[in-house]
Amino acid sequence: MDRFKKLLMNNEAWVTEKLNLDKEYFRKQYDEQHPPYLWIGCADSRVPPDEITGTHAGDMFVHRNIANIVSHADLNLMSVLEYGILSLKVDHIIVCGHTHCGGVKAALGHRKLGIIDKWIRGIKDVYHNHRDELDQLEDENKVWDKLVELNVKDQVMNLAKTSFVQKRWAEGDFPVLHGWVYHLEDGKIEAVSKITRDTEIDDIYRYNFDEEPTL
Ligand code: CO
């Protein structure tokens, strides 16, 4: 059987299963969404956010890209953040990296790979900013894993620097920003950073919301 046909058959089985449990399942989903979580993860096929966190349809607003990068120049992610934070009002934003991330590995190398070189350039900056710590690690895989962790922490800080996050912080405690690393080797998630409205952030990145425009 064609591989893609299997997906459509799986879909039919899934619809039947949901309707058996709740005849109104799809009508309820159709009305609106109130997800409490926003997930920013790597596009890697081995890190399916719903599956590894036991969440279901309606629980999580999701953005994925290569190496879970939070770039203020990325219109796609900035649109997701604006809508997720200011309209959906998610309470928690998770940046989830993972061990053996190909994007991070590529950033550690020197080969020209194509347009992705531009995308992962920021990870080279993370390396540059933590060179002292990384250069002390002798094992190549340890450097790789450490850079995955440092990249996650950096991307979480990038979230804190956005006007969307700061605007919600001006009104209350949420969102809370979480940095996680998913370990491919054992399936476990490790929490590596957390930023709240009370976390100290360099004043140069702070916005003043007394005057419009707010974006
Ligand atoms: Co990856």
Side-chain angles (χ1 to χ4, degrees):
M1 192 200 311
D2 287 337
R3 275 186 176 169
F4 79 93
K5 280 188 185 158
K6 179 95 172 76
L7 301 186
L8 297 174
M9 285 177 63
N10 288 348
N11 171 254
E12 278 182 31
W14 176 75
V15 169
T16 306
E17 184 191 325
K18 288 295 174 194
L19 290 176
N20 282 341
L21 289 170
D22 180 0
K23 281 198 164 21
E24 297 294 303
Y25 180 81
F26 293 102
R27 197 197 55 74
K28 287 178 193 163
Q29 290 281 338
Y30 185 78
D31 288 342
E32 52 190 327
Q33 60 168 337
H34 300 287
Y37 313 105
L38 166 54
W39 177 275
I40 300 168
C42 184
D44 194 301
S45 63
R46 299 166 296 179
V47 194
D50 296 347
E51 202 173 325
I52 65 174
T53 60
T55 49
H56 302 97
D59 289 340
M60 207 143 62
F61 204 51
V62 173
H63 173 91
R64 295 172 74 178
N65 64 46
I66 290 174
N68 39 271
I69 288 171
V70 175
S71 164
H72 64 274
D74 178 3
L75 274 180
N76 184 344
L77 175 56
M78 287 303 122
S79 302
V80 166
L81 282 182
E82 181 181 43
Y83 187 66
I85 295 169
L86 300 181
S87 294
L88 294 176
K89 298 195 182 294
V90 297
D91 292 335
H92 299 274
I93 307 179
I94 298 149
V95 175
C96 187
H98 64 98
T99 55
H100 275 224
C101 180
V104 172
K105 180 76 169 176
L108 276 168
H110 301 278
R111 278 182 59 203
K112 268 167 61 95
L113 298 167
I115 197 156
I116 194 173
D117 298 330
K118 278 69 173 154
W119 182 249
I120 58 177
R121 224 299 302 278
I123 306 176
K124 286 183 182 286
D125 293 338
V126 178
Y127 189 101
H128 175 76
N129 293 334
H130 297 273
R131 184 177 268 286
D132 291 348
E133 183 180 355
L134 289 163
D135 282 353
Q136 281 178 11
L137 301 169
E138 289 183 5
D139 185 294
E140 230 174 63
N141 284 325
K142 286 206 171 107
V143 173
W144 189 1
D145 286 348
K146 193 66 186 175
L147 189 56
V148 163
E149 179 191 324
L150 293 171
N151 179 49
V152 164
K153 288 178 175 170
D154 217 59
Q155 306 311 330
V156 174
M157 184 53 81
N158 283 342
L159 283 176
K161 295 171 183 171
T162 65
S163 59
F164 313 123
V165 167
Q166 291 183 23
K167 187 163 194 309
R168 279 280 304 283
W169 280 347
E171 297 157 2
D173 289 336
F174 291 107
V176 177
L177 314 178
H178 306 266
W180 290 355
V181 172
Y182 173 74
H183 288 262
L184 280 177
E185 57 277 22
D186 60 12
K188 291 186 178 165
I189 290 171
E190 179 190 3
V192 296
S193 73
K194 181 176 170 186
I195 294 183
T196 69
R197 61 179 295 197
D198 299 323
T199 304
E200 199 172 318
I201 295 163
D202 188 335
D203 182 59
I204 193 69
Y205 297 113
R206 287 281 184 187
Y207 290 96
N208 180 349
F209 291 98
D210 296 340
E211 299 164 18
E212 294 295 327
T214 55
L215 298 181

